[in-house]
C-alpha cells in the first residue's frame, strides 16, 4: 500500500537535493527523518513492555491536557 503526499515544488527540490543516486524519494525521506523504520522495529518489544509504554504515553498526554486546562483557567482569572 502507498500514499500520495502533496509537497510544494520548493520543498520537493530540497529533498531531491539530498537524494542519492541509489535512493528513491521514500529512501531519502526515511534517511533524513532518521530512526529505524517501523518494519525494522517490529518485534523488538515484548507485548508487556509495549503496553507499559502505551500507558506511560497516555498518562503523559492526559497530564499535559490537565496542566493546559489549569493554565488556561489561571490566565482567564488573571484578566
Amino acid at each position: 500500500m502507498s500514499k500520495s503526499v502533496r509537497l510544494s515544488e520548493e520543498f520537493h527540490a530540497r529533498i531531491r537535493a539530498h537524494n542519492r543516486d541509489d535512493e528513491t524519494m521514500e529512501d531519502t525521506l526515511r534517511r533524513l527523518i532518521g530512526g529505524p523504520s517501523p518494519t525494522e522495529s517490529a518485534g523488538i518489544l515484548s507485548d508487556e513492555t509495549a503496553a507499559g509504554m502505551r500507558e506511560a504515553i497516555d498518562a503523559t498526554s492526559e497530564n499535559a491536557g490537565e496542566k493546559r486546562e489549569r493554565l488556561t483557567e489561571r490566565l482567564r482569572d488573571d484578566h
Side-chain angles (χ1 to χ4, degrees), residues 17-18 20 22 33 36 39 44 50 55 66 69 73 75:
H18 292 279
R20 296 176 180 160
D22 62 337
I33 290 170
T39 306
I44 290 176
E55 288 175 14
E66 291 170 5
E69 288 176 20
E73 288 176 23
L75 290 171

Side-chain angles (χ1 to χ4, degrees), residues 15-50:
I15 296 168
R16 178 67 65 195
H18 292 279
N19 191 258
R20 296 176 180 160
D21 291 338
D22 62 337
E23 287 183 326
T24 64
M25 287 297 280
E26 179 178 351
D27 294 335
T28 302
L29 285 169
R30 286 181 185 272
R31 180 173 49 78
L32 293 173
I33 290 170
S37 72
T39 306
E40 294 167 345
S41 302
I44 290 176
L45 302 176
S46 69
D47 290 343
E48 184 178 293
T49 301

